Amino acid sequence: MIPYSVFRMPKTINYGPHAFKKVGEEAASKGKKALIISDKVMESLGYVEEGVEYLKNEQVDCEVYLGVESEPTDIYVEEALNLFKANHCDVVISLGGGSCIDTAKAVAVLATNRGYIGDYMGGRKVADQPPIPHIAIPTTAGTGSEATDVTIITNTSNEVKMMIKQPAFLPETAIVDPILSLTSPKHVTAATGIDALSHAIEAYISNQAHPMTDLIALSSMELIVNNIEESYEDGDDVKAREAMALGALQGGIAFSNSSVCLVHGMSRPIGALFHVPHGFSNAMLLPAVLEFSKESCTERLADLGRIFSEEAKEYSDEEAADLAVTSVKELCLKLEIPNLSTWGIDKQAFESVISKMAGDALESGSPANNPRVPTQLEIESLYRDCYNYDFSLERKVR
Ligand SMILES: NC(=O)c1ccc[n+]([C@@H]2O[C@H](COP(=O)([O-])OP(=O)(O)OC[C@H]3O[C@@H](n4cnc5c(N)ncnc54)[C@H](O)[C@@H]3O)[C@@H](O)[C@H]2O)c1
Ligand SMILES: [Fe+2]
C-alpha cells in the first residue's frame, strides 16, 4: 500500500546556466526592497554586485548583509533580521552556500512569526503566518537547501546544531545557476558534493521514503555518482557542474519530502562541537553508517551499487549492496576526505563528548528514520569506529 505522503517544493524553480539573471524579475514580482543575505567570499567574487545590478534593472532597491562567516548561528539570524526590519525590506534573497540560505530562511520566517529561531525546533512553535517571500540562489552543489523546508542553525548557548523543519521555511523561489558554482574551490566541491550524495542516499533508504521521493532520489544519485569526480578534478567542467547543480537540487527535494537519517543525525553534533564543515562530517560517517544499515536496506543499497557499476546488474542484491558501500568508500578516498583523527580532532576531546553527541543525534529525530534504527550505545560505537576510519580498505572482489 502506498503510504499517505505530502510532497512540497518551491513554487518556482529557475535553473540552468545564467538563471541568476532572473533574480530581478523574480524580486520585482514580490516586493520593492530586498535584503540580500550573503558572505564576503560572494562579494569578492563579484556575485553580490551582479545581483544588485539585476535588481536595479527591475527597480528593486536592496540592502546587503554579508555577516555569514561560517555555518549559521542564531547570532547571524538576529543581525540579519534586525537589518531587514530597520530597512523595511519586503523580500529576502539568499546568495551563497547552505549557510547563507539557511540564515535567510530563518529571517523570512521570524520577520512575520516572531520569537527566537530555536522556538521552532521540534515543532514547539509553529510558523502559522506566511513568511516573507524568499528567493534562494545556491552557489554550491550542494545542500539543496534552496528546495527544502529545513533550516539548520547553531544555538550558540548550548552548541547544538538545531534541525528545524516546517513548511514555512521552504523558499518561495529557487534560482539554480550552475555557472555560480564554477568558482567553488576543490575542498568545497568535495564536501558539498558528498553532502548532496548523502541527501539522495538517505532520502532513498529512509523509512519515510515514498514513490515521489524515490524517483527523484534515484535521479539525484545517478547525476551525482556520474559527475562528482569530474567536477572535483576539473572545476571548469561546465557539464559536470550542471549535472551536480541539478543532482543537488533533486537531492534537496528528495530528502525534504522523505528525510535524512543516521548520517545527518550523527554529523550535526560533530559540526556543532568541532566545526567540521557539514559535507566533510557527513563523508567521515557515510561508509561506516551504510555498512551498519546495510542489512536493513539491502535492496535499496543494491540499486545504488548498480548506479556505481554496470557490472553490478549481474550481481545478487547482497553483492550489489556491498559494492555500493565500497564504492562510496573509494569515492571518499578520491575526494581526499579526511577522517576525524586526520582532520585534527583530539582523541580525548572527542571521547569526552561521544555520549553528548549520541544523545543530541537521537534528540534530532533523524536516526529514527534510518532503516536500521540505532540505540544510543550503537551510535557511540559508530562514532568510535569513524574516528580513525580507513577509507582505503580493500574492495571485496566478487
Ligand atoms: N537546510 C538544508 O536543507 C540543509 C541541507 C544540507 C546542509 N545544510 C547546511 O548548510 C551549511 C553548509 O552549506 P555549504 O556546504 O553549501 O557550505 P557553506 O555555505 O558553509 O560555504 C562553504 C564555503 O564555500 C564558499 N563558497 C560557496 N560557494 C562558493 C563558490 N561558488 N565559489 C567560491 N566559494 C564558495 C563560502 O563562501 C564558504 O566560505 C551547513 O550549515 C549545513 O548544516 C542545510
Ligand atoms: Fe546535508
Side-chain angles (χ1 to χ4, degrees), residues 31-223:
K32 291 192 170 352
K33 183 152 191 188
L35 175 67
I36 299 180
I37 296 182
S38 193
D39 68 24
K40 298 222 168 70
V41 176
M42 298 296 112
E43 187 193 34
S44 68
L45 289 166
Y47 293 163
V48 175
E49 203 185 330
E50 191 181 339
V52 172
E53 260 327 287
Y54 294 141
L55 294 176
K56 261 197 206 153
N57 293 344
E58 301 295 327
Q59 287 77 50
V60 177
D61 199 4
C62 73
E63 234 356 274
V64 182
Y65 175 76
L66 295 177
V68 181
E69 283 178 5
S70 62
E71 297 197 350
T73 65
D74 46 11
I75 296 170
Y76 303 162
V77 171
E78 196 183 332
E79 287 174 355
L81 181 62
N82 288 341
L83 198 61
F84 178 91
K85 287 183 185 161
N87 289 281
H88 308 286
C89 298
D90 49 14
V91 181
V92 174
I93 298 172
S94 51
L95 175 62
S99 296
C100 295
I101 300 176
D102 281 7
T103 305
K105 285 176 166 180
V107 170
V109 167
L110 293 183
T112 51
N113 287 269
R114 299 171 192 279
Y116 169 66
I117 185 63
D119 300 343
Y120 295 83
M121 193 180 166
R124 283 193 297 271
K125 181 171 165 65
V126 175
D128 51 13
Q129 295 303 308
I132 296 294
H134 173 194
I135 303 170
I137 311 172
T139 59
T140 57
T143 64
S145 179
E146 67 275 11
T148 76
D149 62 2
V150 175
T151 184
I152 299 167
I153 306 289
T154 299
N155 178 335
T156 46
S157 58
N158 63 5
E159 295 192 289
V160 168
K161 255 184 121 169
M162 303 180 285
M163 201 278 282
I164 302 164
K165 180 170 166 66
Q166 292 188 25
F169 290 97
L170 190 64
E172 185 169 317
T173 299
I175 297 182
V176 182
D177 182 346
I179 303 299
L180 295 173
S181 68
L182 288 175
T183 48
S184 171
K186 264 183 120 100
H187 67 283
V188 174
T189 302
T192 57
I194 281 276
D195 185 28
L197 181 62
S198 312
H199 294 155
I201 298 174
E202 294 212 284
Y204 191 58
I205 63 173
S206 164
N207 292 336
Q208 307 291 324
H210 56 90
M212 289 290 288
T213 58
D214 286 350
L215 191 69
I216 296 172
L218 279 166
S219 168
S220 172
M221 288 192 282
E222 200 154 330
L223 284 163

Side-chain angles (χ1 to χ4, degrees), residues 343-392:
W343 179 261
I345 297 174
D346 177 70
K347 191 161 189 191
Q348 290 296 99
F350 189 69
E351 187 59 42
S352 70
V353 291
I354 279 186
S355 163
K356 171 184 164 48
M357 291 198 297
D360 289 349
L362 280 171
E363 171 87 21
S364 75
S366 301
N369 299 322
N370 206 58
R372 178 174 168 198
V373 179
T375 61
Q376 162 100 14
L377 286 181
E378 283 170 332
I379 296 181
E380 291 179 10
S381 156
L382 277 167
Y383 275 129
R384 287 191 186 94
D385 292 348
C386 289
Y387 181 77
N388 260 321
Y389 194 82
D390 185 356
F391 293 103
S392 68

